[in-house]
């Protein structure tokens, strides 16, 4: 099938709900087979995430409860990109607010992705820091949980046990480990060598 055969046509979108966090639209679309209808599309604001890794190959994460899915698990630190703010600045700010640890140095852009492209726009940008300094207690009282430096060798096990909450933790951690040969089973001493 060629790209032309597989392309969808859009004829506009009307908003049926809009808030600071989410917008729901109905998009007038025509599928490659010629059928045309209004398709529900959820638009979420851009999210920026900080992956902070220390010299012992541990990632700074928050163990918390998410009532929407009824799950406990680990998350990376991050949040909504404010108007006019650069995503890397958002990730650093959110990390400090949620953890009391400020990322050190300039970040590396690790990865960007759309977690549910079939019906949701939810751009996510992930930035990597190789260290952080303790600057105090967390100031974001909504993001409550237990802060922990989690050894990266545990990532495959945590993913298997569904203890990495959402794509904002799974994608960056699995990508980081895969691109650095940290497939699990190594001890911290060999990881930091």
């Amino acid at each position: 099938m060629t790209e032309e055969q597989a392309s969808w046509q859009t004829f506009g979108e009307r908003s049926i709900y809009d808030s600071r966090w989410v917008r729901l639209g109905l998009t007038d679309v025509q599928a490659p087979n010629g059928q045309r209808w209004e398709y529900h599309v959820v638009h979420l604001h851009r999210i920026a995430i900080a992956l902070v890794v220390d010299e012992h190959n541990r990632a700074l994460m928050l163990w918390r409860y998410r009532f929407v899915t009824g799950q406990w698990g680990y998350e990376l630190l991050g949040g909504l990109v404010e108007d006019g703010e650069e995503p890397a600045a958002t990730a650093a700010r959110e990390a400090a607010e949620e953890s009391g640890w400020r990322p050190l140095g300039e970040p590396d852009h690790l990865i960007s992705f759309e977690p549910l492209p079939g019906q949701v726009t939810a751009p996510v940008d992930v930035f990597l820091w190789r260290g952080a300094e303790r600057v105090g207690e967390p100031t974001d009282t909504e993001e409550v949980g237990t802060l922990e430096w989690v050894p990266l060798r545990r990532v495959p096990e945590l993913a298997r046990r569904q203890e990495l909450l959402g794509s904002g933790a799974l994608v960056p951690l699995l990508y980081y480990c895969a691109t650095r040969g940290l497939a699990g089973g190594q001890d911290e001493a060999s990881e930091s060598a």
Side-chain angles (χ1 to χ4, degrees), residues 54-98:
D54 72 4
E55 68 276 6
H56 302 291
N57 271 337
R58 300 176 304 174
L60 185 60
M61 291 196 255
L62 189 62
W63 173 263
R64 65 175 302 179
Y65 180 74
R66 286 294 189 181
F67 75 90
V68 175
T69 56
Q71 281 181 283
W72 282 94
Y74 288 102
E75 291 185 347
L76 295 175
L77 309 166
L80 293 176
V81 177
E82 301 290 337
D83 290 338
E85 188 175 34
E86 290 297 318
T90 298
R93 175 180 52 77
E94 290 284 343
E97 289 174 1
E98 294 176 5

Side-chain angles (χ1 to χ4, degrees), residues 3 14 17 20 57 60 82 84 93 96 108 130 137 139:
E3 281 187 33
R14 63 186 173 95
Y17 177 80
R20 178 179 178 224
N57 271 337
L60 185 60
E82 301 290 337
R93 175 180 52 77
D108 290 323
R130 301 268 184 194
E137 293 300 312
T139 58

Side-chain angles (χ1 to χ4, degrees), residues 145-167:
T146 303
L147 200 62
E148 188 176 332
W149 287 94
V150 178
L152 290 170
R153 64 182 159 74
R154 292 187 56 208
V155 166
E157 165 206 350
L158 295 173
R160 188 180 66 253
R161 292 183 4 207
Q162 297 180 347
E163 291 182 358
L164 295 175
L165 297 182
S167 61

Side-chain angles (χ1 to χ4, degrees), residues 25-38:
L26 282 175
T27 304
D28 183 4
V29 298
Q30 182 173 328
N33 66 5
Q35 292 184 349
R36 186 170 170 175
W37 71 95
E38 286 191 311

